């Protein structure tokens, strides 16, 4: 009987103390973050200027991707640019801006930054991301760090529960910032453009 009572008291202590020690997931709007000076939503020229300033090189060092058809403006524009030096790589991807803005026809939707893999580079990146962006939303997970506005209460799930939100992800020697709002807006624009009334 005494053993049962001791067990119940121990279990109650754990139940009472556990919430006090558990840290709530950190909610943060990843759209406020930048990678190498580039933020989601920036126009092409803004992003090129920001990346060039970050790396302290001329804008001509940013290599434009192939011009492809922009389905919103119906014009050909490069939908990405990249910068590569000494094994470091930055790739910035764009979506057509919706609502349409002729002065700023593109919007950054995805930014990837990667360094060559070495144990020292991995350790340096791990320290740098927390120093720059703060504690990850999926803390204490330290294998794949994620920052988002609506993280899961389960650190193992991280930010994957809401596929509509912007997420900053760090793994090993690479960082990725993606905001799906821009691709979602493009898809909705095309769907609306293709809407027809049945006339049979």
């Amino acid at each position: 009987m005494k053993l049962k009572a001791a067990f119940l008291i121990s279990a109650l202590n754990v139940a009472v103390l556990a919430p006090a020690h558990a840290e709530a997931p950190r909610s943060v709007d990843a759209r406020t973050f930048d990678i190498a000076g580039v933020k989601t939503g920036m126009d092409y020229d803004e992003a090129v200027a920001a990346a060039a300033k970050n790396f302290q090189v001329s804008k001509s060092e940013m290599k434009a991707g192939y011009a492809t058809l922009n389905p919103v403006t119906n014009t050909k524009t490069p939908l990405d640019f990249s910068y590569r030096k000494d094994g470091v790589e930055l790739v910035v991807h764009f979506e057509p801006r919706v609502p349409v803005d002729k002065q700023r026809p593109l919007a950054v939707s995805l930014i990837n930054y990667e360094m060559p893999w070495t144990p020292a580079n991995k350790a340096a990146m791990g320290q740098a991301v927390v120093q720059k962006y703060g504690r990850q939303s999926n803390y204490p997970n330290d294998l794949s760090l994620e920052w988002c506005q609506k993280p899961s209460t389960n650190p193992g799930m991280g930010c994957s529960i809401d596929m509509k939100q912007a997420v900053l992800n760090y793994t090993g020697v690479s960082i990725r910032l993606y905001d799906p709002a821009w691709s979602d807006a493009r898809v909705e624009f095309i769907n609306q453009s293709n809407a027809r009334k049945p006339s049979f």
Side-chain angles (χ1 to χ4, degrees), residues 89-100:
E89 178 180 74
L90 173 74
V91 183
V92 179
H93 297 270
F94 297 83
E95 284 283 350
R97 188 179 298 276
V98 177
V100 179

Side-chain angles (χ1 to χ4, degrees), residues 2-175:
K2 284 182 180 179
L3 187 61
K4 270 188 179 179
F7 178 76
L8 283 171
I9 290 168
S10 176
L12 284 171
N13 284 337
V14 169
V16 170
L17 293 174
H21 294 293
E23 292 190 55
R26 178 178 174 229
S27 173
V28 59
D29 187 353
R31 293 172 299 177
T32 63
F33 292 151
D34 74 88
I35 294 179
V38 181
K39 292 184 175 184
T40 61
M42 281 184 167
D43 185 36
Y44 191 93
D45 292 339
E46 292 173 310
V48 165
K53 181 179 179 182
N54 177 79
F55 292 113
Q56 299 180 341
V57 296
S58 72
K59 289 188 280 189
S60 63
E61 295 290 308
M62 305 297 137
K63 303 303 178 189
Y66 292 110
T68 55
L69 184 66
N70 180 328
V72 173
T73 61
N74 211 27
T75 58
K76 283 195 171 184
T77 54
L79 294 180
D80 64 83
F81 74 80
S82 59
Y83 172 74
R84 295 173 176 87
K85 186 174 184 181
D86 298 330
V88 172
E89 178 180 74
L90 173 74
V91 183
V92 179
H93 297 270
F94 297 83
E95 284 283 350
R97 188 179 298 276
V98 177
V100 179
D101 183 341
K102 290 182 180 178
Q103 302 304 313
R104 304 171 73 237
L106 299 175
V108 173
S109 62
L110 172 65
I111 310 157
N112 278 311
Y113 175 90
E114 190 165 356
M115 290 169 53
W117 196 96
T118 69
N121 285 351
K122 181 180 183 294
M125 282 276 280
Q127 290 176 357
V129 291
V130 174
Q131 184 177 359
K132 179 167 182 171
Y133 306 118
R135 193 190 76 201
Q136 64 270 32
S137 298
N138 64 334
Y139 179 87
N141 188 325
D142 60 359
L143 296 176
S144 177
L145 281 58
E146 294 184 328
W147 290 259
C148 61
Q149 202 159 30
K150 292 186 262 182
S152 169
T153 53
N154 178 349
M157 293 295 291
C159 298
S160 60
I161 55 165
D162 186 343
M163 305 302 287
K164 295 287 187 181
Q165 65 179 333
V167 177
L168 176 75
N169 175 274
Y170 157 71
T171 307
V173 289
S174 65
I175 313 170

